[in-house]
Amino acid sequence: MDQDFLDILQQHTAGNPMNSSIRWTYLKPREIVSELLKKGYSVSRNIVRYLLKKHEYVKRKAQKNITMGGHPDRNAQFENITQLKQDYLDAGNPVISMDTKKKELLGTFYRNGSLYTQAAIQTNDHDFPSSATGSVIPHGFYDLKRNTGYITLGASHDTSEFACDSLFQWWVNEGIIHYPKAKSLLILCDGRGSNSSRHYIFKEDLQKTANALG
């Protein structure tokens, strides 16, 4: 069965042209079960998973490890951020990380997952944006010291004003409660999109927010 199993994979396998020992298959265990059945073997998916592991086919996720160039001050920048975070935490001031998450279309669209129900759940056969009734924009905050998250949901556009309004909401609903003596706030963000460091609009809205919060 080992040889027949390898013969099946051989027909559905790709490899690394720079390293012949690295290969991958696009077949799923159930598909391999079907192929083995054609060759006279009646096996379960567990047996197929065992064979995959035996022949060093392990399920893996892609890893973002290939460097696409760096900045000469990259290390110094991260050391500076690390020191700033520690200074703020030692002083009892909040350190938060903020980012906009994936926008979701609103409407009768397919969603991953399942639930117990007495009737079938019907959705559109295609998730065309033109069929959406709107979209929801999750804007997330992560409090490093308290290890907690906070989400603001927007229904318009991912603008700098929305990002700063979300920051204001976080402070009013969470920040001021847990950091009543805070004199300053350290925000970590990626510098793109609504919190772009290249455009004046985010800096202007951030200044307005700082003025409002004191």
Side-chain angles (χ1 to χ4, degrees):
M1 185 168 67
D2 271 288
Q3 189 55 53
D4 285 332
F5 169 80
L6 291 173
D7 288 343
I8 291 169
L9 259 61
Q10 182 66 34
Q11 301 169 29
H12 303 276
T13 295
N16 185 339
M18 305 303 292
N19 188 341
S20 59
S21 65
I22 299 176
R23 294 162 297 162
W24 56 87
T25 180
Y26 53 83
L27 286 179
K28 296 179 175 64
R30 59 179 173 78
E31 294 171 327
I32 298 174
V33 167
S34 297
E35 292 297 320
L36 283 171
L37 190 61
K38 294 175 185 177
K39 292 181 176 289
Y41 300 101
S42 180
V43 297
S44 68
R45 296 184 193 182
N46 286 335
I47 295 297
V48 168
R49 292 189 184 99
Y50 164 77
L51 290 170
L52 285 166
K53 185 176 181 180
K54 177 181 178 181
H55 294 285
E56 300 181 344
Y57 284 88
V58 182
K59 184 181 284 188
R60 306 177 194 274
K61 286 187 176 180
Q63 299 178 347
K64 294 184 177 181
N65 288 332
I66 301 174
T67 304
M68 298 180 67
H71 192 280
D73 297 324
R74 176 183 171 88
N75 190 58
Q77 288 171 349
F78 278 97
E79 288 180 354
N80 184 44
I81 292 171
T82 300
Q83 186 59 53
L84 275 170
K85 287 195 293 186
Q86 195 58 52
D87 291 345
Y88 268 73
L89 293 173
D90 291 343
N93 288 321
V95 179
I96 60 170
S97 174
M98 76 174 192
D99 194 12
T100 303
K101 301 305 177 185
K102 180 178 175 291
K103 299 176 185 178
E104 291 291 339
L105 296 175
L106 298 177
T108 313
F109 298 129
Y110 176 81
R111 311 289 183 189
N112 287 325
S114 59
L115 71 162
Y116 290 101
T117 174
Q118 292 182 324
I121 303 170
Q122 304 294 333
T123 65
N124 297 341
D125 56 354
H126 288 86
D127 295 344
F128 292 131
S130 58
S131 302
T133 57
S135 64
V136 63
I137 306 164
H139 195 273
F141 291 89
Y142 173 64
D143 185 331
L144 270 68
K145 184 175 183 179
R146 298 179 55 247
N147 190 31
T148 57
Y150 182 87
I151 295 287
T152 301
L153 300 179
S156 181
H157 299 284
D158 182 21
T159 62
S160 294
E161 186 178 13
F162 169 57
C164 291
D165 283 347
S166 299
L167 173 61
F168 188 92
Q169 292 297 324
W170 172 82
W171 177 254
V172 170
N173 294 313
E174 290 278 331
I176 198 171
I177 298 171
H178 300 289
Y179 302 96
K181 298 181 180 179
K183 300 297 182 184
S184 185
L185 169 65
L186 179 62
I187 306 171
L188 308 175
C189 46
D190 59 12
R192 297 178 298 168
S194 58
N195 45 255
S196 173
S197 58
R198 295 179 180 272
H199 301 295
Y200 74 89
I201 191 70
F202 175 61
K203 299 173 186 177
E204 184 178 344
D205 287 336
L206 197 59
Q207 184 62 59
K208 290 177 182 176
T209 305
N211 294 343
L213 296 178

